[in-house]
Amino acid sequence: AAVSNPAQALTDAMRAALLAHQPLRTLLGGAHVHEERPRGAREPMVLFDTIETRDWSTAEQKAHEHFVSLAVRTNSRSRRLAQQILDEIETVLDGAALSLAGHRLVNLRIVFWSVARQGENFGASVRLRAATEPV
């Protein structure tokens, strides 16, 4: 069987975990975690932004290292909602043991986050590092 793309397997699992987390869905007002921003979608939402993957193999074992950036967009002029959404993303994903299609997640950690004004409203970005191995 063809080995699935590790970055796609990772983002699929991350998105499913975020969507399954009720406190996050409540803050977002629904299932607003998107790989690409849907036409006409309204804030607040979480978007998968940049995904960088590098080969991280050793002589014995094929592996990949991934840096995944998530963008948080809100409809709020205060930082509070962006920070609450970040906190829930951290709860779900930092150190999570997600099961991936065709790959094993070695680890998943948040390495950076920021909250900033985006036009009139606040948003945030969060960057995670993951290591995966093919099964």
Side-chain angles (χ1 to χ4, degrees):
V3 177
S4 65
N5 178 294
Q8 189 64 53
L10 175 64
T11 56
D12 288 350
M14 288 171 65
R15 182 168 182 262
L18 290 169
L19 287 171
H21 186 62
Q22 196 54 56
L24 179 62
R25 287 177 70 131
T26 300
L27 287 171
L28 295 176
H32 304 303
V33 179
H34 309 295
E35 278 208 48
E36 281 161 33
R37 186 183 181 122
R39 245 179 241 266
R42 316 257 314 238
E43 285 87 6
M45 69 175 74
V46 176
L47 296 165
F48 280 83
D49 203 2
T50 317
I51 300 161
E52 299 162 39
T53 298
R54 13 186 122 127
D55 184 46
W56 207 50
S57 305
T58 62
E60 300 77 47
Q61 174 70 55
K62 189 158 177 63
H64 294 92
E65 179 182 42
H66 312 270
F67 288 93
V68 180
S69 298
L70 300 177
V72 175
R73 304 273 182 260
T74 80
N75 52 359
S76 171
R77 290 168 180 261
S78 130
R79 260 169 218 281
R80 187 158 179 261
L81 179 58
Q83 191 61 60
Q84 287 174 316
I85 293 169
L86 272 186
D87 290 346
E88 295 305 336
I89 291 171
E90 182 179 6
T91 297
V92 176
L93 295 180
D94 194 45
L98 305 177
S99 61
L100 311 189
H103 297 267
R104 184 174 82 78
L105 181 62
V106 180
N107 59 38
L108 179 62
R109 286 270 175 257
I110 290 181
V111 292
F112 169 86
W113 61 93
S114 71
V115 176
R117 192 179 293 284
Q118 296 170 343
E120 293 189 348
N121 299 327
F122 272 88
S125 60
V126 57
R127 188 165 159 95
L128 299 99
R129 179 197 173 274
T132 61
E133 296 169 348
V135 176

